[in-house]
Amino acid sequence: MMRETAHRLRQQVPPIVLDPSPLVVAHWSQQQYMLLWRGLIERHAREVRFMPDWEYSRGCAEEFVFAAALGIPTLDLDGSAIAPVAGAARLARAIDRLNKSIAGHERLAALASALNALRNELGGG
């Protein structure tokens, strides 16, 4: 779905759309991917658009917080702005939903904790 969305955006939003989903580097950690994407966002992004339900992805949430901290516009796919306070609210709802589903799911608990730390960076804590 990401590749198709990126292709559609490339036709609508000139000049360049970067899609992180196809990049797979053997043995890279989440931190290594984020270092790469943070550098790309910081040096080249004029805006960052987010897929629906981005708030359930640690990587997307990190990209959102980073772009917001730099003052780079953060948008939904349709081009509607996502203000930092709105992003923090989305993260809060995602954390609440994850917390209700956590029983016995360590990965969900870790994701909820990571998202909460990112929400706090946005001032939503």
Side-chain angles (χ1 to χ4, degrees):
M1 180 162 167
M2 283 287 297
R3 290 181 186 175
E4 293 84 10
T5 301
H7 177 72
R8 190 177 73 248
L9 278 175
R10 284 184 186 102
Q11 295 174 348
Q12 299 169 358
V13 183
I16 297 171
V17 173
L18 295 175
D19 169 16
S21 67
L23 179 65
V24 177
V25 180
H27 310 294
W28 266 29
S29 67
Q30 176 78 12
Q31 182 180 11
Q32 289 169 306
Y33 280 104
M34 287 313 303
L35 284 172
L36 173 66
W37 291 114
R38 282 177 178 234
L40 287 168
I41 290 168
E42 185 173 23
R43 289 183 202 91
H44 304 291
R46 288 188 249 161
E47 64 183 39
V48 182
R49 294 201 183 200
F50 292 89
M51 295 286 291
D53 298 327
W54 63 266
E55 61 270 24
Y56 291 94
S57 162
R58 180 178 178 176
C60 290
E62 287 184 41
E63 291 171 7
F64 182 87
V65 171
F66 187 71
L70 293 175
I72 297 171
T74 50
L75 313 168
D76 281 330
L77 287 181
D78 67 3
S80 299
I82 309 170
V85 69
R90 286 187 189 193
L91 287 169
R93 283 190 301 276
I95 292 162
D96 185 52
R97 288 180 184 140
L98 288 168
N99 283 329
K100 289 177 181 173
S101 303
I102 284 177
H105 293 88
E106 293 174 15
R107 287 188 68 191
L108 290 179
L111 176 59
S113 178
L115 293 176
N116 192 49
L118 291 165
R119 180 183 59 129
N120 289 337
E121 285 185 43
L122 286 170

